[in-house]
């Protein structure tokens, strides 16, 4: 972390955020997100979820510029995301030239902070070197992660207070603010959300649970492996105390007996 702060202080200058790129990125993400929100609402049987999810997406998008404002006037330009975006901008030049190397970006490792810079480089390769547009993409990652957490809750607690949980999850200020920039938090929100949905599907004896767990772990293991260790430990305990399959028990009870011979 000290090395990242040093890079931030040395670079100093802010990355550009051309308005055309910002608006285009926002429009594309909205166009992709609306069908997702409708599908979630349809599967949950609650049409109000569409409005709530889209409001949450807007608030996520506002969280990015809010972090830039706080960084400029409170942290005086010294923040984690400044190092990530500068290193990512350098990496994007390599990636666009099909040189998949971290040379010249100042990364000491591809793990931890380095994984976030690499993810930023991939995003910059797609949207251009545009800080706010990159924030929007990472904020969208976080928004998707919150949806995966919500789906995991509805599977695990079908009789739970879905509406209350949705309001808490999608409108919690700390999540909206701290996961809306180029950061470990945004990546882990998505990765842990996918893995959590996978564990919920396994516990509910539904298909595709284990592939989701593997996908989530693959997405975030390089960023914060300790969090996945906690998740997998909890999943192991849950598997030990999982309820027996009631459907199998029911089939065993209904199994016809052999007719008695006379």
């Amino acid at each position: 972390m000290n090395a990242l702060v040093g890079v931030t202080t040395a670079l100093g200058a802010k990355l550009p955020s051309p308005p055309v790129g910002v608006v285009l990125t926002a429009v594309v993400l909205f166009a992709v997100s609306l069908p997702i929100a409708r599908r979630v609402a349809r599967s949950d049987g609650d049409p109000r979820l569409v409005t709530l999810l889209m409001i949450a997406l807007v608030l996520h998008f506002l969280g990015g510029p809010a972090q830039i404002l706080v960084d400029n006037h409170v942290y005086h330009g010294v923040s984690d995301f400044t190092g990530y975006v500068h290193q990512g901008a350098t990496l994007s030049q390599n990636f666009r030239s099909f040189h998949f190397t971290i040379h010249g970006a100042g990364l000491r490792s591809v793990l931890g902070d380095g994984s976030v810079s690499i993810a930023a480089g991939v995003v910059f390769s797609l949207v251009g070197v545009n800080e706010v547009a990159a924030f929007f993409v990472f904020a969208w990652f976080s928004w998707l992660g919150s949806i995966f957490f919500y789906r995991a809750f509805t599977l695990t607690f079908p009789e739970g207070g879905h509406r209350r949980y949705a309001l808490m999850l999608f409108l919690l200020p700390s999540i909206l603010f701290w996961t809306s920039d180029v950061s470990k938090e945004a990546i882990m929100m998505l990765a842990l959300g996918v893995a959590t949905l996978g564990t919920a599907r396994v516990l509910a004896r539904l298909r595709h649970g284990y592939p989701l767990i593997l996908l989530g772990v693959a997405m975030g293991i390089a960023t914060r492996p300790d969090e996945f260790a906690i998740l997998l430990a909890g999943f192991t305990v849950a598997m030990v105390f999982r309820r027996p399959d009631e459907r199998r028990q029911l089939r065993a009870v209904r199994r016809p007996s052999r007719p008695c011979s006379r």
Side-chain angles (χ1 to χ4, degrees), residues 27-77:
V27 169
V28 171
L29 292 176
F30 266 106
V32 174
S33 301
L34 186 56
I36 295 174
R38 287 173 175 169
R39 181 171 181 176
V40 174
R42 186 167 55 250
S43 63
D44 203 51
D46 186 359
R48 298 174 298 175
L49 269 178
V50 177
T51 302
L52 178 59
L53 287 173
M54 298 312 292
I55 290 175
L57 181 61
V58 172
L59 293 176
H60 271 289
F61 284 172
L62 293 177
Q67 285 217 39
I68 295 175
L69 183 65
V70 171
D71 177 53
N72 289 340
H73 297 282
V74 178
Y75 300 142
H76 307 293

Side-chain angles (χ1 to χ4, degrees), residues 133 167 231:
L167 290 171
L231 173 68

